[in-house]
Amino acid sequence: AMDTLAGYPGGMHVGGGLHPGNAARFLDGGASHVIVTSYVFRNGSIDFERLEAMVAAVGRRRLVLDLSCRKAGAGQPHAGEYLVCTDRWSKWTDFAISESNLSALAGYCDEF
């Protein structure tokens, strides 16, 4: 990944297994942004302490929150709503994609 980032500095986002301890390395290596999901969505909920730690590590302007989601089916909690999922859409969270939730997160990141 580092060779690719160096070949196109500032032109790509990088994600996958990123956390405050390693994210800056990828930015220093040429990524324009880092993408996180599983680090901030833990045990089925958003963890604002972890989100704040990512913002402190990389800055809001270089953070992308991956809000990959699936529609909850009938009989599931939040049926009919789109909920963020982690681990290749295999684990549901309780975080619904809504105007109020997106507004709440907008101050923490540059993109969704």
Side-chain angles (χ1 to χ4, degrees), residues 41-59:
F41 288 92
R42 186 168 72 149
N43 299 321
S45 296
I46 191 163
D47 184 328
F48 281 97
E49 286 183 21
R50 284 181 164 218
L51 178 55
E52 290 169 2
M54 279 301 299
V55 172
V58 303

Side-chain angles (χ1 to χ4, degrees), residues 46 48 51-56 58-65 67 95 99-112:
I46 191 163
F48 281 97
L51 178 55
E52 290 169 2
M54 279 301 299
V55 172
V58 303
R60 147 188 202 292
R61 292 280 181 206
R62 300 193 78 187
L63 182 63
V64 175
L65 292 177
L67 301 180
F95 191 86
E99 184 176 348
S100 62
N101 279 345
L102 294 178
S103 292
L105 292 183
Y108 291 96
C109 63
D110 195 45
E111 300 177 34
F112 298 118

Side-chain angles (χ1 to χ4, degrees), residues 34-107:
V34 293
I35 306 166
V36 294
T37 305
S38 297
Y39 180 76
V40 270
F41 288 92
R42 186 168 72 149
N43 299 321
S45 296
I46 191 163
D47 184 328
F48 281 97
E49 286 183 21
R50 284 181 164 218
L51 178 55
E52 290 169 2
M54 279 301 299
V55 172
V58 303
R60 147 188 202 292
R61 292 280 181 206
R62 300 193 78 187
L63 182 63
V64 175
L65 292 177
D66 176 359
L67 301 180
S68 295
C69 58
R70 292 175 50 196
K71 188 175 184 179
Q76 289 181 288
H78 305 280
E81 293 183 287
Y82 286 88
L83 302 175
V84 171
C85 293
T86 63
D87 301 309
R88 298 186 179 135
W89 299 279
S90 65
K91 294 182 182 174
W92 293 88
T93 72
D94 60 5
F95 191 86
I97 302 299
S98 67
E99 184 176 348
S100 62
N101 279 345
L102 294 178
S103 292
L105 292 183

